[in-house]
Amino acid sequence: MQFHLYLPQMRLSPAQLVERAQAAEAAGFDGIAGMDHMAPPLAENQPMFSASVTNTWLAAHTTRMTVGSLVLCDVFRNPALLAQESVSLDHLSGGRYELGLGTGSVPREIVSYGLALPEGRLRVRRLRETLEILRALWTGEPVDYTGEFFQLRGARQAPTPLGSIPIQIGGAGPKTMELVAAYADWWNIHIGILDRLDEMRPRAGRARVSIQERIAFVPSEDQRAAVAELARRRFGTTGVVVGDAEQLVEHFGTLAERGIDRSYTWFCDFAQPATLAAFGESVIAKLR
């Protein structure tokens, strides 16, 4: 199983983001990913940095980990600009960029900031056009495209990707699953549909499976109560995996046996470097 640190770029300074990214890299994490919102959900009064600018910053301060977002909101961006932005990050990171895309998980955010297409069915159709345009522009050949939402005439992009930019799609609706099967290298599932994974897995085609989980890592038994209380205050009482190293090794091992290839770990303590180091030594290393 791969381990990627999920680190929303909120409530942390640029220096703290770099500190945690470098600690994660030293601990053996394979990648790092942030969120993509105009304002943090349920914490709209908190400061937050741009997803792609933060990815560029972290790519410049790491050497091995992939960088990306879980996931970019398609309606925030013109697909031609997204294609250029992605190739730029691909080159600037030395091939370590992954493009995550979704239709948007907070519809009211799309309306609040004056963006178009609040209806889910329209957003899925728009996402399909974005994926078609990305694939066409990344060939480096001139592109003429006539769609419902976008029209391109003689559009051409240079440079082209260094290799193949991995695409990750989040979501589980029937139309979204068609896009996963047709375009995705990775399918990110919501924890709420984990019990349906075996049923839905064939609909993902060749895409590998990832999952995001909220983790409360217990470094020693005398700290369990404090860690659990911190997780409760930040994440609530449901959907948090609380465990020591042995329990988490068993937990992630079970996920791997079910066919989940990557975990995006979201630590309740804002990914303190000491937590990342201990998790790497006692969980990641054992599973490797």
Side-chain angles (χ1 to χ4, degrees):
M1 175 177 282
Q2 297 182 14
F3 285 91
H4 286 221
L5 174 63
Y6 182 65
L7 186 68
Q9 63 280 11
M10 57 177 287
R11 297 182 179 176
L12 296 171
S13 70
Q16 289 173 320
L17 288 168
V18 168
E19 176 190 45
R20 284 154 172 77
Q22 292 177 342
E25 190 165 66
F29 282 80
D30 301 285
I32 185 169
M35 61 169 55
D36 184 41
H37 291 283
M38 301 299 293
L42 304 179
E44 288 82 0
N45 63 331
Q46 294 296 326
M48 184 173 192
F49 297 114
S50 158
S52 296
V53 174
T54 301
N55 280 329
T56 307
W57 174 250
L58 296 181
H61 288 84
T62 54
T63 60
R64 179 184 54 78
M65 290 194 304
T66 63
V67 296
S69 299
L70 197 66
V71 290
L72 297 180
C73 179
D74 175 53
V75 299
F76 289 177
R77 296 164 180 84
N78 175 281
L81 293 176
L82 177 60
Q84 184 186 52
E85 182 180 88
S86 299
V87 169
S88 298
L89 272 163
D90 177 48
H91 280 255
L92 293 170
S93 67
R96 294 185 289 125
Y97 179 64
E98 295 187 356
L99 175 59
L101 278 174
T103 59
S105 59
V106 186
R108 70 177 182 276
E109 179 179 35
I110 298 172
V111 176
S112 295
Y113 287 90
L115 300 164
L117 310 178
E119 296 182 29
R121 61 185 180 84
L122 296 178
R123 297 202 304 274
V124 174
R125 297 211 301 264
R126 186 192 193 276
L127 177 57
R128 178 181 291 276
E129 291 194 10
T130 291
L131 292 163
E132 290 172 348
I133 291 169
L134 290 173
R135 179 175 285 181
L137 287 174
W138 285 348
T139 67
E141 299 298 322
V143 176
D144 291 323
Y145 183 89
T146 301
E148 180 180 1
F149 307 103
F150 302 105
Q151 294 78 42
L152 281 67
R153 296 292 178 268
R156 188 171 184 172
Q157 183 175 84
T160 57
L162 292 171
S164 176
I165 298 175
I167 291 177
Q168 181 176 70
I169 296 177
K175 294 299 184 181
T176 299
M177 293 308 299
E178 292 178 8
L179 299 183
V180 170
Y183 295 98
D185 300 282
W186 288 92
W187 170 42
N188 190 66
I189 69 168
H190 188 277
I191 189 69
I193 67 166
L194 183 58
D195 60 344
R196 297 173 54 207
L197 176 60
D198 293 342
E199 164 199 340
M200 297 187 64
R201 182 67 184 84
R203 297 164 61 186
R206 66 180 179 84
R208 301 173 70 186
V209 182
S210 67
I211 192 170
Q212 179 204 92
E213 291 189 297
R214 298 169 174 180
I215 301 296
F217 176 61
V218 179
S220 60
E221 196 59 32
D222 63 324
Q223 298 182 57
R224 181 178 291 273
V227 169
E229 174 58 21
L230 176 63
R232 185 197 65 77
R233 291 202 310 270
R234 186 176 181 201
F235 291 142
T237 57
T238 59
V240 183
V241 181
V242 181
D244 58 22
E246 182 177 352
Q247 291 167 327
L248 291 179
V249 166
E250 180 178 357
H251 170 76
F252 290 117
T254 299
L255 291 181
E257 290 172 358
R258 294 197 60 186
I260 295 176
D261 301 300
R262 176 185 291 176
S263 169
Y264 286 92
T265 51
W266 189 1
F267 291 95
C268 67
D269 66 351
F270 290 92
Q272 294 293 330
T275 298
L276 298 176
F279 183 88
E281 180 179 359
S282 60
V283 179
I284 295 178
K286 288 188 177 180
L287 287 167
R288 294 271 162 81

